[in-house]
Amino acid sequence: MPHYTAPTRDMQFLLHEVLNVTGSDIPGYDELEPDVTSAVLEEAGRLAGEVLAPLNPVGDAEGCHFENGVVRAPKGFQNAYDEMRAGGWMGLDADPAYGGQGMPYLLGTAVGEMFVSANMAFNMYQGLTHGAYSTIHAHGSEAQKATYLPKMVSGEWSGTMNLTEPQCGTDLGLIRTKAEPQDDGSYRITGQKIWISAGEHDLSENIIHLVLAKIPGGPEGTKGISLFIVPKFLVTEDGAPGARNAVQCGGLEHKMGIHGNATCVMHYDGATGYLVGEAHTGLKAMFTMMNEARIGVGVQGYALGEVAYQNARAFAQDRLQGRAATGTANPDGPADPIIVHPDVRRNLMHQKSFVEGARAFTFWGAEMIDRAMRAEDAEAEAMISLLTPVIKGFLTDKGFETTVLAQQTYGGSGYVKEWGAEQFVRDARIAMIYEGTNGIQSLDLVGRKLPSRGGQAIMAFFELVKTFIKENEGHEALKAGFLDPLKAASKDLQAAGTYFMQHGMKNPNAALAGSYDFMHLFGHVCLGLMWARQAKAAYAALANGTGDAAFYEGKLVTGRYYMARQLPATALHLARIESGDETVMALEAEAF
């Protein structure tokens, strides 16, 4: 059976030596003292490793059960859910006004990573609830917040997001679900939604669905979409679940992975719903949940890479096969552990350098969200808006690749269920698809985020990289191993942006044909920047004297690998971008 150990040491390094959270001017960060974050991370890590991880293969093998409209979660999930509730984990970074602990989003992200690594399917129940909570908190009326948020923060009630319908996914302007106004101010919601994660289950006493629908007579397309709260059970005047609403699960999807999460077809048959915000502004409100979900899915990408890497590393250290090319490493055994072989080392270093770079990138993104929300910093909001499709798209692509590399480390054993590696591959695959496929993320990045506000956000990113390099180029070791490769990669990113500006207006396909490569190019530069920042912190710790020299030296070795072996991919992506759209669009549709 696979194992999981929370990477709390690396998280503490990022929080206190790379991000320097206690020295930040973000409100609330001064409370993130090392002993506080250590206590939170260690307890979350214990829960992840001892409670959630053992249920991961159980949920995969058993799946959810559907009978007569009732969905039951896999064995052991209810006890785990109750333990999560009792510990207050579902409200870790929620508003204290509704029972939350008010911790920064950054700390919630770190804890969320652990829960995903341990059991992604289980964590989705509370992850969707958090997104629904955030949407109601941002856009709901005071009465709606008072009614729903305390129970959602406590985990007594859970939440979902209902967007997709059989005829539309990305193009939400095509939705057919309708919302007919009633005399009492409520609406009757009628329609079908598909692929609804955690849409029906028995873990919580009520489920609060957030549903996109159209009010008859409204504008066409996305401008006519409104957002509604549709509870599974209508809420009585004393705040308790009352009569069953006219919403039912019509069936479960049979999926490649995440079997422990109920992915439902939902039928709304004149269900009572309550408008969130103003009519016809639903898509804007739902983007609160969608953007949070996209960051969360980015976490899923590298978090599964982390647990897959941990198990591949352990296998490589134990599996005896062949002898090292430079001489026997295990003279008392019949063969050497496979970790002595250069190609296995390459495989593991690829995994390790990606995961640790991705964690730093995502923590930095979470810090920007805190700055935007807690300090009302418009520049931070613009930057994280630019980077959100990169976090979602790049980290899930590379995260899936990491799980495949981990599976490869096992050889034939990786193809066998009992080792667990193949489940990580199957579970990771969905992250590239849902919350907007990665192709859509790249189109959003190039078509919307890049030119937004005259390109101010991307120019600010270039300036950030340039300033970091300039301020630290006097450090020779940092310059040679990290800053020079970062500078070269950043120039590739700037060249790609220049190509889009020169050709995109005349021929949009020239830019859009290169959007996927641009997303990856941008992602590599972001991880290169993160590795340079980690290296700076590691060099400082070694210079100041430390009792943990092995950790910092390992950081530098891992970072140098990324800069030398992964970051040069920016040149390949640039070459593809500059080839334009001719070869992409040349073949006639009927010739495919």
Side-chain angles (χ1 to χ4, degrees), residues 78 160 184 258 288 317 336 401 439 461-462 487 508 536 580:
Q78 184 69 67
T160 72
D184 62 359
I258 54 169
T288 297
Q317 291 170 335
D336 292 335
E401 177 185 306
F461 178 83
F462 288 141
K487 181 184 291 186
K536 179 182 177 180

Side-chain angles (χ1 to χ4, degrees), residues 266-285:
M266 303 299 297
H267 297 299
Y268 294 85
D269 186 17
T272 299
Y274 307 97
L275 181 66
V276 178
E278 299 294 326
H280 316 311
T281 62
L283 194 57
K284 179 181 178 182

Side-chain angles (χ1 to χ4, degrees), residues 15-17 19-26 28-35 37:
L15 292 175
H16 299 288
E17 298 178 69
L19 297 177
N20 185 26
V21 290
T22 55
S24 172
D25 61 351
I26 299 174
Y29 270 41
D30 57 333
E31 300 177 7
L32 297 179
E33 295 290 342
D35 58 339
T37 57

Side-chain angles (χ1 to χ4, degrees), residues 4-280:
Y4 173 69
T5 302
T8 54
R9 177 67 182 90
D10 195 44
M11 290 180 174
Q12 285 284 82
F13 167 70
L14 293 175
L15 292 175
H16 299 288
E17 298 178 69
V18 178
L19 297 177
N20 185 26
V21 290
T22 55
S24 172
D25 61 351
I26 299 174
Y29 270 41
D30 57 333
E31 300 177 7
L32 297 179
E33 295 290 342
D35 58 339
V36 172
T37 57
S38 176
V40 172
L41 296 178
E42 291 297 332
E43 179 57 23
R46 182 202 66 78
L47 185 62
E50 297 179 8
V51 177
L52 302 186
L55 292 174
N56 196 42
V58 174
D60 184 60
E62 182 181 333
C64 295
H65 305 279
F66 176 69
E67 186 175 358
N68 297 325
V70 177
V71 176
R72 304 200 183 283
K75 181 174 61 180
F77 273 41
Q78 184 69 67
N79 289 338
Y81 188 87
D82 292 344
E83 187 167 346
M84 297 284 282
R85 276 194 56 206
W89 293 105
M90 298 174 186
L92 182 68
D93 60 349
D95 188 343
Y98 302 103
Q101 299 181 48
M103 301 298 283
Y105 181 80
L106 171 58
L107 193 59
T109 299
V111 169
E113 178 200 319
M114 299 181 195
F115 294 160
V116 171
S117 288
N119 195 325
M120 175 174 161
F122 176 89
N123 190 66
M124 288 174 66
Y125 291 101
Q126 64 197 43
L128 270 297
T129 302
H130 191 286
Y133 150 84
S134 296
T135 302
I136 297 172
H137 189 274
H139 303 284
S141 68
E142 292 304 315
Q144 288 171 340
K145 289 189 275 190
T147 298
Y148 299 105
L149 295 190
K151 297 292 183 68
M152 296 174 75
V153 168
S154 70
E156 293 173 76
W157 298 354
S158 58
T160 72
M161 57 191 298
N162 286 236
L163 288 77
T164 306
E165 299 180 8
Q167 78 287 348
C168 70
T170 300
D171 190 355
L172 290 171
L174 298 177
I175 67 171
R176 296 173 185 162
T177 300
K178 63 181 180 179
E180 298 175 302
Q182 304 298 297
D183 292 340
D184 62 359
S186 67
Y187 291 76
R188 286 174 59 84
I189 312 298
T190 303
Q192 183 187 74
K193 299 289 182 178
I194 63 171
W195 302 336
I196 308 305
S197 299
E200 174 64 30
H201 57 83
D202 57 351
L203 299 178
S204 61
E205 65 178 18
N206 204 357
I207 302 174
I208 310 306
H209 301 290
L210 292 185
V211 183
L212 290 183
K214 289 185 175 182
I215 301 171
E220 293 295 322
T222 57
K223 293 181 180 180
I225 295 176
S226 299
L227 178 65
F228 300 88
I229 292 172
V230 186
K232 174 181 175 180
F233 293 100
L234 297 173
V235 181
T236 63
E237 290 186 3
D238 61 359
R244 177 68 189 253
N245 206 352
V247 52
Q248 296 284 342
C249 173
L252 293 178
E253 302 290 356
H254 301 284
K255 312 183 299 289
M256 177 179 177
I258 54 169
H259 296 159
N261 191 266
T263 305
C264 304
V265 177
M266 303 299 297
H267 297 299
Y268 294 85
D269 186 17
T272 299
Y274 307 97
L275 181 66
V276 178
E278 299 294 326
H280 316 311

